[in-house]
Amino acid sequence: MATIKVNGADVDVAHAGAGRDLVLLHSLLADRSAFDRVVPTLAKHRRVWLINLPGYGASTAAGASVEDYADHIAALLRALGLSPQTDVLGNGLGGFIAVALACRHGDLFKHLIVADSLATFPPAGKEPLRMMAERVRQQGMSAVLDAAINRMFPPLFIAANPKIVAERKAALGKADPECFSAACTALAQVDLEPLLAGIRNPTLVMAGALDAATPAPLVRRLADGIAGSKFLEIPDCGHCPQLEKPEVFVNTVDEFLC
């Protein structure tokens, strides 16, 4: 693990494996440890970069909008010296950032993989984000942990996997409240739909069929806006396929990137 400076902000970075580079960007509701179950397999044939987004781990604040986050990741890719053959995968918030990265800096990497993200939230989807932002500002991270778990996982998964639920609550509870609130607000404001037609990166979009945070029909709309993209709906899965369906997640990524 290392912390590097990018445009005055600290970025908490780890990597595993060797080979072609794959950058992983996590959800609003998780830190980079959400990928721990899939990294050993992904790293067998590639160098996997795990980035803690601003406010998670040792990473500090770096902008107020999803576009700012994307510019921040672009600067990080340059600072790490990664080639244009690098691939980028984002889940949730990380997926929004990855899409914005493709819109603004698509020449910095090759394949784009998006898991359970949108181009923009509909009005009904923005209000819960604004409410979470305000609640965290007033009461801290502990006030939204249960709500976050219910957005991450379907009820049956929560009931059957108390260890994973406890692990995810503990990880999210360590997030910086100010950065978390800012990320919620950024997600409520972003609209990348007008820019999707400009994406030229080969793209795969995944959606959990049971995702309550970014419903599959809306994720499909993101895929429809990116020319030539592939879309996969994962049955019996919520917002984080790398946690709920790790084998499906890894096989899908490997097949797309081969």
Side-chain angles (χ1 to χ4, degrees), residues 120-135:
T120 187
F121 280 96
K126 295 179 180 181
E127 189 56 28
L129 291 164
R130 295 188 181 109
M131 290 174 63
M132 276 204 300
E134 184 59 28
R135 197 167 183 186

Side-chain angles (χ1 to χ4, degrees), residues 2-258:
T3 302
I4 66 173
K5 286 281 187 184
V6 177
N7 294 335
D10 292 332
V11 185
D12 188 356
V13 181
H15 63 83
R20 183 164 162 171
D21 293 297
L22 172 63
V23 175
L24 303 181
L25 304 175
H26 62 79
S27 166
L28 171 74
L29 308 175
D31 64 356
R32 70 179 183 209
S33 68
F35 292 107
D36 284 355
R37 287 172 174 79
V38 298
V39 166
T41 307
L42 290 174
K44 287 181 179 179
H45 306 293
R46 53 181 65 87
R47 182 168 55 167
V48 179
W49 294 90
L50 295 134
I51 315 300
N52 265 328
L53 295 172
Y56 300 82
S59 294
T60 55
S65 69
V66 168
E67 291 86 351
D68 289 338
Y69 284 33
D71 292 347
H72 181 58
I73 296 300
L76 174 64
L77 298 184
R78 295 187 183 99
L80 293 173
L82 303 189
S83 82
Q85 294 303 305
T86 297
D87 302 312
V88 175
L89 184 156
N91 172 223
L93 169 63
F96 280 86
I97 296 168
V99 172
L101 186 69
C103 293
R104 298 166 71 85
H105 307 281
D107 60 329
L108 291 180
F109 66 103
K110 187 170 183 181
H111 292 91
L112 168 66
I113 303 177
V114 181
D116 297 275
S117 302
L118 312 174
T120 187
F121 280 96
K126 295 179 180 181
E127 189 56 28
L129 291 164
R130 295 188 181 109
M131 290 174 63
M132 276 204 300
E134 184 59 28
R135 197 167 183 186
V136 167
R137 288 189 194 102
Q138 293 183 3
Q139 302 177 43
M141 290 303 302
S142 62
V144 299
L145 296 182
D146 288 336
I149 290 299
N150 289 326
R151 286 175 67 87
M152 286 181 76
F153 302 124
L156 288 178
F157 185 88
I158 293 172
N161 295 274
K163 184 177 179 181
I164 293 178
V165 169
E167 173 190 279
R168 291 298 95 212
K169 280 188 176 182
L172 185 57
K174 296 176 183 177
D176 176 80
E178 185 175 345
C179 288
F180 182 88
S181 294
C184 289
T185 301
L187 285 172
Q189 294 174 342
V190 68
D191 184 3
L192 300 171
E193 282 193 338
L195 304 177
L196 297 182
I199 293 177
R200 297 291 178 262
N201 306 77
T203 301
L204 168 67
V205 178
M206 291 185 271
L210 304 180
D211 188 350
T214 52
L218 297 182
V219 180
R220 182 184 288 274
R221 182 172 170 177
L222 166 66
D224 289 344
I226 302 174
S229 69
K230 297 181 179 181
F231 177 79
L232 173 67
E233 184 171 315
I234 304 174
D236 301 317
C237 186
H239 189 63
C240 295
Q242 69 272 25
L243 287 165
E244 297 173 58
K245 303 285 185 179
E247 289 187 9
V248 173
F249 180 86
V250 168
N251 290 340
T252 300
V253 171
D254 281 342
E255 182 179 339
F256 181 66
L257 296 181
C258 69

